[in-house]
Amino acid sequence: MDGDTGPAATSYVYEYCLGDAHRAPACIAQTPVLEPGRFLRSVKWSPDGTALAAISESGAMEIHDMSPVVAAYYRGHHVPSAIGLPPALTVPHASTPLALAWYPHMRREAPETCCVVESVRDHPIQLRDSVTGYVRATYTARDDCDGLMSACALEFVTGGRFLAGVAGELALFDVQRPGLPLAQCRLEGVRGLVSCVAGMNCLAACATFAGHLGLVRSVGGLEPVAAWRVPGEHGGAAGITDLKWSGDFCLWAAQRRSRFLVAWDVRDLRSPVMTVERPAAPGNQRMQIDFDASKSHLVAGTIGGELLFCDTRTGEQHLVPVADDAVAAVAAHPYYPIVAVASGQRRFDGDECKNDFMAKIDMGELLPKEPVSRRITGDTQFMFQFYKPCLHYYEPNAQTRASMSSDKLRLSLITALQGCPLLFGRFKIHPDLTISLDYDPLNSNPPTLEFARQSVTYSQLRSQSFSYTVAKHHDLDMAIPDGSITRGFDKPMLMVKVTYLSDGGVALFSMTNHVAFDGNAIFSFMAHWARCNRLLGSSVDVPSDLESYATSLVTNTNKPLARGPVEISVDATRTPAEISVANSKAVASSDGIHACVFSLPVAHVKKLKTMVEESGVLGEGEWVSSNNVVAAFIAQCVARANMESQVYESGEWTVFQSLDMRRPLGLPARGLGSPLILAECRASASEIVESGRFSLLAKRVRESVDKYTGEYLQGAMDWMNESYRLLAMEGVLEPWRHFWFTALNTNERAVGVSCMNRIPIYDVDFGAGRPAMARSFNPRPNYIIVFPGPPSARGSGGSLEYEALHLYVTLERPAMEALRADKQWSGMCSLVSE
């Protein structure tokens, strides 16, 4: 790995004395100083305490013989000088090692027990002899398409069985039965890639990079017990990287990108029982924690090269410097007061990456000088409380790295941000409980820009259709935080991660808070940033549609609708959590939710439109748009698949489209904000089931849009503002969490479409050409997102032309199977990725 080597990376073994705070830990063993770019990412003691297993950044597993150290300590309880620790065994791998676990009955004097299970990316799990390095057995978990699933976490539980975290699932294996797992399940309510597993007697806990945790009973199989997540004030979706049990029922979690170590009593998961703060939040590395033999003292590393000791009975903490670089890996000896630590982290030169994990943009003197405040409870935008991600892929060529170097991207982003102060904003809850997005030069909330480098190639990603799941597997994304507005909400409005691929390609991940910036707004900003990058050093005007305006243009006319609009619901009698549960359809864990991306050629869209125009259903002067026929086609096929699979009973359906209210309400065409409404119409069961009635459904979809005039929308917003005011006056603590779009209640028969094919997703050209592909993901069932496919050319008017639309479809698994088998759907669409 090229670039700045940074402090020397190495691993140490320290003797410590918990009873004497003034006695510094003494180094009793040390590995040789490692060459630049190589360090140990994790270390684990063997159950008998005579060996250390480690995973190296260079792609190898190492076994260190610790018997001389342990013997010397046992004889004299003091080692006068550090013993050298070259690895006794090194096993190189072609891919990245992900996890390992010692066989729990390992004893040095019994060679048959000296083994570890290890996982390597894109390989089966292997049981490997820790003395010879030979593979004794392999174990494989597979997905529904018989594809190999790599394990990101391994942990032995009871009876010679071990758990593997594979993608978003758990798999239970018996070490004496190579091959497929004994049981495999996905925990309902646990989202994200399983990052770590911890076993205790018959219980096992797992956690994900999305900040979710689950508890299972592992006797006889896998029985889900509970699911919960890290509270937002203690890290939220920062990403859990390690779990440890202390005592019988206390579970501790370590997180990346968060300074909090959090503990729960699993008998009562309503809130954490204890938290410990490190001096600073770590970066993207996996951060290990451990406990001493008594299970009373927590041991953790810090990015400053220190060891943190915390007495979990009293909360007393001690910080001890032990290395010149970040300490991510720690392992306490199972019997003696000895701890193994490993220091080091990825470093890159100035033209690639600068180890800027979640680095906040420093504007210096270029920070906008004037404060700005914009009310966001004046229209529907406060109802979109989530972060929306997108990945842009740039193919390798001679200009890619030069035009998208870290220094140039950072400078051009600073230039682009000068005219967009609300991207530095914070949510402010006023005394009357209205909310505004405020920018204050003295208390700004800067966007973050992160750089990374991965061994995966652009060609490999392209061969797998730029699947979002594959991108997550290679860590091209970021942990997506909870976007729910709270009084302690302090997350950036914009977060960006740039990953340099090993063959010269670039993946650019971005996400924004949808409350403040919808797809129109953020992609307009991304195009503006790219233009600033191409013209770096020249003056670039901020587009007028990105200029901030002081207050919402949705004003109260005191003429609300006589009754509430059918599109929006409000309930002050239930808590936000109760509303969320009531609006969410229960899904069988055996079926689960399945997401796919399909391609719909533009030529087929034209055929659908021609079919409607020639059907005779349109009267004099009537017409349908391409988006109308796309919405009708998707609604008919998806609703039919839901009924044929019996996911929903047969009956009338609500068909809705995401409608931008900017134009009818006189807002800037791409102004910052999210003023959207879900335009509804009703479709009978026959209109859904009978493909011959497609033209009539397309007409109905078109007519439904005509209802949403400026007068109707203004009245709906006035009603919502008045309802909001009444909730605040009645003492409802968080009125912004009591409104929702009626059509998004997944217990009801409703299918919707959000067409984003006319926003500038592919206008993000930093100087080496447009992105070859843009990818996102859609977690909401029956709400289909329409992205443009990659552009084929630029039209005469300067706009991009596309050969296909990409449909992001998320359904319950039986409905997805029915959709893929539907002749009308398969005749028009082809599968791109899952």
Side-chain angles (χ1 to χ4, degrees), residues 336-412:
Y336 299 131
I338 299 173
V339 60
V341 304
S343 69
Q345 58 185 316
R346 291 179 181 174
R347 294 181 178 276
F348 304 91
D349 61 26
D351 197 39
E352 296 288 347
C353 307
K354 295 186 175 179
N355 198 40
D356 291 338
F357 296 112
M358 290 296 287
K360 292 188 175 182
I361 295 295
D362 183 5
M363 298 286 288
E365 295 298 319
L366 299 178
L367 194 69
K369 301 296 189 295
E370 297 298 323
V372 177
S373 178
R374 178 174 176 213
R375 186 163 69 103
I376 64 171
T377 42
D379 54 43
T380 60
Q381 67 183 94
F382 73 93
M383 297 166 65
F384 295 89
Q385 298 181 36
F386 58 88
Y387 277 82
K388 185 68 176 177
C390 183
L391 263 165
H392 286 98
Y393 292 95
Y394 297 84
E395 60 185 353
N397 59 44
Q399 292 80 35
T400 302
R401 286 294 176 91
S403 61
M404 299 186 71
S405 68
S406 59
D407 284 340
K408 191 170 183 181
L409 288 178
R410 186 181 286 104
L411 290 173
S412 60

Side-chain angles (χ1 to χ4, degrees), residues 661-715:
M661 297 192 297
R662 288 179 174 91
R663 182 174 297 173
L665 288 175
L667 297 168
R670 288 173 181 159
L672 300 181
S674 290
L676 305 174
I677 197 167
L678 301 184
E680 297 183 7
C681 70
R682 302 293 291 176
S684 66
S686 61
E687 289 174 327
I688 296 297
V689 173
E690 301 172 17
S691 58
R693 304 193 68 180
F694 163 73
S695 296
L696 184 61
L697 180 59
K699 177 184 178 181
R700 192 183 298 277
V701 168
R702 171 61 203 172
E703 290 173 343
S704 70
V705 176
D706 293 337
K707 162 187 172 182
Y708 296 91
T709 62
E711 182 180 1
Y712 177 86
L713 293 174
Q714 185 67 67

